């Protein structure tokens, strides 16, 4: 596909097709760090087209692959620590309820727009989930629908909320409102998110910014305060995993990562910490 061709992304939900292809790319490696046997069919030809169209589309797979692997680890650990329900917001084409070795008694809700839920159902037809699974069609920007979804999930806690690849597409006000709404039910205990810094946002604006904005999916949320943004809204950081650090651990780094790691060692402690916090996966706890 020509770099000047119209972007295949026309709605924020289309980014799920894109990320599914990244999961397929990793799953098909002989040394894969996770296996998603449904990713290729979920992403489909359109997902492939998006990867081909986006600048450095294949080269930039590593952060998404690292994010998937780290979230898998945290989800499995948190479920082992007592989470009875997983509320997966803007689930997209996530298949964790079908591919992870989850307890059969765990309740798992995959929530997304009705069109995405219909697509999920079609492409997962005949696949048996590992736990008690339910697709939930809802528009989370609608307060009434949101309250109903959260109340249903909170019927059996503790609840782990997952918001993978969601917050970056919301405004600060929307994220704050979502955080407050999620903090209201006492059963909501953990919230797993990915978070970007203003520094990363500026970098992404130069590569993917225009194409995502033209496709109706601009990046928005990158708080200067990092996870401290959530403190006034009922959440505190329990754990932070740097995307960069985890990429080195998992051996899924960008090209020339070794060089940039040496450069980082020459920087001040403050600069190194800023780099470590440029992007990551955070587990928040309700306060």
């Amino acid at each position: 596909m020509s770099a000047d061709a119209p972007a295949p992304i026309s709605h924020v939900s289309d980014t799920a097709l894109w990320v599914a292809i990244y999961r397929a790319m990793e799953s098909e490696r002989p040394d894969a760090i996770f296996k998603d046997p449904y990713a290729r069919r979920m992403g489909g030809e359109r997902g492939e087209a998006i990867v081909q169209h986006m600048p450095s589309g294949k080269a930039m797979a590593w952060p998404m692959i690292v994010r998937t692997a780290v979230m898998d680890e945290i989800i499995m650990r948190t479920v082992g620590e007592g989470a009875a329900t997983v509320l997966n917001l803007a689930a997209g084409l996530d298949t964790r309820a079908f591919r992870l070795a989850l307890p059969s008694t765990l309740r798992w809700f995959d929530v997304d727009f009705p069109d995405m839920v219909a697509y999920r159902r079609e492409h997962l037809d005949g696949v048996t989930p590992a736990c008690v699974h339910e697709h939930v069609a809802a528009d989370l920007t609608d307060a009434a629908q949101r309250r109903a979804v959260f109340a249903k999930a909170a019927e059996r806690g503790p609840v782990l909320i997952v918001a993978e690849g969601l917050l970056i597409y919301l405004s600060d006000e929307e994220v704050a409102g979502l955080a407050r709404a999620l903090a209201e039910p006492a059963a909501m205990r953990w919230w797993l998110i990915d978070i970007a810094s203003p520094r990363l946002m500026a970098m992404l604006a130069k590569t993917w910014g225009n194409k995502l904005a033209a496709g109706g999916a601009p990046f928005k949320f990158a708080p200067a305060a990092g996870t401290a943004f959530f403190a006034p809204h009922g959440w505190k950081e329990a754990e932070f995993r740097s995307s960069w650090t985890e990429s080195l651990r998992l051996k899924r780094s960008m090209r020339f990562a070794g060089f940039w790691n040496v450069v980082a060692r020459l920087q001040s402690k403050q600069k190194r910490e800023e780099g470590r916090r440029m992007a990551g996966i955070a587990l928040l706890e309700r306060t």
Side-chain angles (χ1 to χ4, degrees):
M1 179 178 291
S2 166
D4 298 323
I9 296 176
S10 60
H11 187 272
V12 68
S13 292
D14 294 337
T15 62
L17 304 169
W18 176 19
V19 177
I21 296 301
Y22 285 154
R23 291 200 307 274
M25 288 166 56
E26 176 63 27
S27 299
E28 291 160 4
R29 288 179 56 141
D31 62 342
I33 55 177
F34 61 79
K35 290 286 188 180
D36 185 345
Y38 316 108
R40 180 66 62 183
R41 63 169 151 171
M42 296 286 267
E45 292 183 2
R46 194 166 174 205
E48 286 279 8
I50 294 172
V51 171
Q52 294 297 327
H53 178 84
M54 298 300 285
S56 303
K58 288 191 174 180
M60 286 299 291
W62 69 268
M64 310 300 184
I65 290 166
V66 168
R67 183 179 76 185
T68 299
V70 172
M71 285 194 163
D72 282 1
E73 292 175 4
I74 295 175
I75 288 168
M76 292 302 295
R77 190 195 72 216
T78 308
V79 168
E81 291 173 354
T85 298
V86 174
L87 177 61
N88 192 13
L89 303 179
L93 302 178
D94 177 26
T95 62
R96 288 188 175 97
F98 299 83
R99 67 177 179 83
L100 294 182
L102 300 165
S104 60
T105 55
L106 179 75
R107 298 164 75 231
W108 187 295
F109 296 97
D110 278 323
V111 185
D112 215 315
F113 291 114
D115 287 353
M116 179 56 72
V117 167
Y119 184 94
R120 288 177 55 87
R121 289 181 184 277
E122 177 186 352
H123 287 75
L124 289 170
D125 184 42
V127 181
T128 302
C131 55
V132 180
H133 176 265
E134 184 175 338
H135 282 113
V136 180
D139 180 351
L140 295 174
T141 64
D142 182 289
Q145 292 186 49
R146 186 166 65 191
R147 280 195 300 271
V149 170
F150 295 174
K152 186 173 185 178
E155 288 174 358
R156 182 177 160 211
V159 178
L160 166 63
I161 306 140
V162 178
E164 181 180 17
L166 167 62
L167 301 189
I168 199 168
Y169 297 105
L170 305 180
S171 67
D172 287 17
E173 293 76 16
E174 289 170 328
V175 174
L178 178 62
R180 289 192 296 270
L182 284 169
E184 286 178 7
M188 304 297 198
R189 181 170 172 185
W190 302 279
W191 187 9
L192 184 59
I193 65 170
D194 53 294
I195 188 167
S197 68
R199 179 179 168 189
L200 178 62
M201 185 71 84
M203 293 171 62
L204 292 175
K206 295 177 182 179
T207 53
W208 292 343
N210 290 339
K211 292 186 181 297
L212 288 170
F219 287 154
K220 299 178 184 179
F221 184 69
T227 57
F229 172 92
F230 297 92
H233 311 299
W235 299 91
K236 65 179 180 179
E237 179 185 308
E239 180 180 1
F240 180 85
R241 303 269 200 102
S242 164
S243 296
W244 179 258
T245 303
E246 292 298 291
S247 76
L248 297 173
R249 176 178 71 89
L250 296 167
K251 297 180 173 56
R252 291 296 182 272
S253 302
M254 64 182 289
R255 291 184 66 192
F256 309 118
F259 169 77
W260 292 114
N261 225 28
V262 171
V263 171
R265 292 193 193 115
L266 302 176
Q267 296 176 329
S268 67
K269 184 178 179 180
Q270 179 182 344
K271 285 292 185 183
R272 287 199 303 273
E273 182 61 10
E274 287 176 3
R276 191 180 78 86
R277 287 263 177 176
M278 192 159 68
I281 298 94
L283 182 66
L284 309 178
E285 282 187 336
R286 179 177 173 274
T287 59

